[in-house]
Amino acid sequence: MGLLAILKGEQPGLIATLLNYKNVGQFGEYMTEYALKNNNLKGEYIVLKNAYVPLKNKSTEIDLLMIHEKGIFVFESKNYSGWIFGKADDRNWVQRMANGSKHVFYNPIKQNNTHIMALADYLSLPNDAFTSYIIFSERCRLKKVPKSTQEIVILQRNKMLKNLRKELKKREIIYTKEQIKEFEMKLKPLTNVSDEVKKQHI
C-alpha cells in the first residue's frame, strides 16, 4: 500500500486492511471496492458487489458493478502476483511465478463478457452499454496481455482510478439520478441471494 494513496482515500489504512482481510481473492475485491466507493469519482453513481445475475437457468457472479451517470462499468478483480500472460481469444491465461511454477486461470475477458451478457439481458440493454474492467493487483506484472480498448480495459489496481477519471471526463451524462436508482432497485436483490443460488453460479 502507498502512503499517498491512503492519505488521498484511494486505499484503506492498516487497521481497515486487517479487519477486511479474509483471503487473497476477497481482499482484491475489497481494495477495488474501497477505491470506487470512497468519494474518489465525480458524478452520480452507485457501486454494487457480488451480484448473482440470472443466466441460462443458473447465475453468474459479478465481483463489482458501478452504475455511473456516464455509463455502466463491470469489474473483474484478479489479486494475483507473478507474471501474467494471455491473449484475448485464449480460453485460459497463465500466472507464472519467479520459482518457475505456473497457475492456469480462465480468461478474465471471457469471464467478464459472460457477466456483461447476463446484465444486458437482465436490464434489457445492449452489450455496448457496458465497459469491462479487468483489474489486477499491483503485485503482478502484465507481461503479455491484450492492450486496453474502449470496451475492455486491462490494468493494475493502482492505475484504475486515474484511468476511470480520464474516461469519465470524456463522456457525456446518459443516466439520470432516477434511472440510476431504478437500476439499483432492480439489481440490489441479486446481491442478497440464498446459499443455493451461490452454489449454482457459473
Side-chain angles (χ1 to χ4, degrees):
M1 293 190 302
L3 179 59
L4 182 59
I6 293 172
L7 293 174
K8 289 164 67 178
E10 296 178 357
Q11 289 184 3
L14 180 60
I15 294 175
T17 296
L18 293 173
L19 289 174
N20 286 278
Y21 189 91
K22 295 178 182 175
N23 58 61
V24 172
Q26 176 273 338
F27 185 66
E29 293 175 21
Y30 166 71
M31 292 286 282
T32 304
E33 179 192 10
Y34 186 95
L36 293 174
K37 292 179 74 172
N38 203 33
N39 297 318
N40 286 312
L41 297 171
K42 294 180 180 179
E44 195 73 39
Y45 68 97
I46 61 162
V47 177
L48 299 171
K49 70 174 183 177
N50 299 336
Y52 290 80
V53 184
L55 179 66
K56 298 178 182 177
N57 299 319
K58 292 187 178 180
S59 66
T60 183
E61 182 189 7
I62 297 173
D63 289 347
L64 287 165
L65 170 66
M66 180 173 76
I67 301 177
H68 193 280
E69 62 186 11
K70 294 186 176 182
I72 303 177
F73 301 83
V74 184
F75 297 84
E76 177 60 33
S77 179
K78 298 296 182 188
N79 201 29
Y80 294 160
S81 57
W83 290 358
I84 306 299
F85 300 85
K87 297 179 181 177
D89 294 330
D90 289 345
R91 174 175 174 78
N92 296 311
W93 285 17
V94 175
Q95 172 198 30
R96 185 162 292 162
M97 307 302 288
N99 63 7
S101 65
K102 67 179 184 178
H103 166 68
V104 174
F105 60 99
Y106 185 55
N107 182 338
I109 295 176
K110 292 181 180 291
Q111 188 175 5
N112 227 21
N113 283 346
T114 299
H115 298 159
I116 287 172
M117 181 174 66
L119 272 173
D121 183 60
Y122 188 76
L123 296 175
S124 300
L125 292 172
N127 281 20
D128 60 11
F130 305 87
T131 303
S132 176
Y133 263 72
I134 313 297
I135 308 297
F136 281 91
S137 163
E138 305 94 301
R139 299 178 298 114
C140 75
R141 289 187 65 185
L142 303 178
K143 292 294 286 184
K144 288 186 179 179
V145 300
K147 291 184 179 179
S148 294
T149 65
Q150 194 71 22
E151 298 80 25
I152 302 170
V153 179
I154 304 169
L155 42 65
Q156 290 171 293
R157 192 180 303 111
N158 58 341
K159 299 174 183 174
M160 179 186 72
L161 285 175
K162 182 178 179 180
N163 188 279
L164 271 171
R165 289 171 183 144
K166 184 178 177 182
E167 179 62 28
L168 291 171
K169 196 172 182 179
K170 294 187 294 184
R171 296 189 181 198
E172 300 292 327
I173 294 174
I174 55 176
Y175 299 120
T176 64
K177 187 175 181 178
E178 290 72 26
Q179 286 175 309
I180 294 172
K181 191 67 180 175
E182 286 177 13
F183 284 135
E184 182 180 24
M185 289 176 66
K186 193 166 186 181
L187 290 166
K188 191 74 172 176
L190 302 182
T191 65
N192 186 24
V193 298
S194 66
D195 289 339
E196 183 179 353
V197 171
K198 291 179 181 180
K199 288 177 183 177
Q200 290 177 346
H201 92 269
I202 300 171

